[in-house]
């Protein structure tokens, strides 16, 4: 994974609601309603996207055609903004993602989706954050069972110490500013460290090589 997705195209689908989950301007979520009205007595599942950008760039508009695909297939879609480096360390970014998921579930009735059928998707640095909240049960707490599946796209930092040793140049440019030099902190921020507890059950991990 890298931080090269800043130029990701924006969606042509209009945002139907924006909710805030904190006082910082970046602590907000865009929600896209399904294209068709759900059948009476039913509520659509929700796909939540966490953007990439090397933990230091990017925003919730970097969704490409994802809202179109999901809304055309009967899903609600949401894209999370979270605070970034250098103002917010990775720990706070993970807490932001968890807080955004909590806020979405709390407003599910108003927004019209099922709070207990959520697909979490992350790209690049966002894949790391999605993996972390899907494995570190203290972050999501009671909200964790609502995440039915997690999809990780071109992710980074699943095992931070190994990643940093394997990619010295990327380590200096991206990982060291995000994860520092403390091995204990690097392990604590590695999703692989937390696997084996109350993890999300179903995963799809997609990677690319260049």
């Amino acid at each position: 994974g890298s931080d090269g997705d800043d130029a990701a195209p924006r969606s042509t689908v209009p945002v139907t609601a924006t909710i805030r989950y904190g006082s910082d301007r970046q602590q907000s979520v865009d929600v896209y309603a399904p294209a068709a009205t759900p059948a009476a007595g039913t509520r659509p599942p929700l796909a939540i996207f966490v953007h990439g950008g090397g933990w230091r760039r990017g925003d919730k508009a970097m969704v490409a055609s994802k809202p179109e695909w999901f809304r055309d297939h009967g899903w609600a879609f949401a894209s999370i903004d979270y605070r970034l480096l250098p103002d917010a360390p990775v720990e706070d970014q993970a807490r932001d993602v968890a807080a955004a998921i909590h806020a979405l579930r709390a407003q599910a009735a108003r927004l019209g989706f099922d709070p207990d059928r959520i697909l979490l998707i992350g790209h690049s640095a966002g894949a790391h954050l999605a993996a972390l909240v899907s494995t570190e049960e203290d972050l999501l707490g009671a909200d964790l069972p609502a995440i039915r599946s997690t999809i990780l796209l071109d992710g980074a930092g699943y095992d931070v110490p190994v990643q940093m040793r394997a990619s010295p140049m990327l380590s200096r440019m991206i990982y060291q500013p995000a994860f520092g030099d403390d091995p204990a902190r690097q392990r604590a921020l590695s999703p692989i460290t937390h696997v084996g507890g109350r993890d999300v059950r179903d995963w799809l991990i997609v990677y690319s090589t260049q």
Side-chain angles (χ1 to χ4, degrees), residues 122-145:
H123 176 246
S124 195
H128 165 265
L129 296 172
L132 196 59
V133 300
S134 297
T135 54
E136 169 51 284
E137 58 185 285
D138 289 343
L139 285 168
L140 276 178
D143 293 315
L144 184 59

Side-chain angles (χ1 to χ4, degrees), residues 7 15 40 51 53 55 66 77 93 95 117 130-131 134 136 159 161 171 198:
V15 173
H51 71 79
W55 300 276
K66 296 175 186 69
F77 183 86
Q93 296 179 21
R95 293 186 192 104
R117 290 194 297 153
S134 297
E136 169 51 284
D159 189 334
S171 179
R198 280 196 320 140

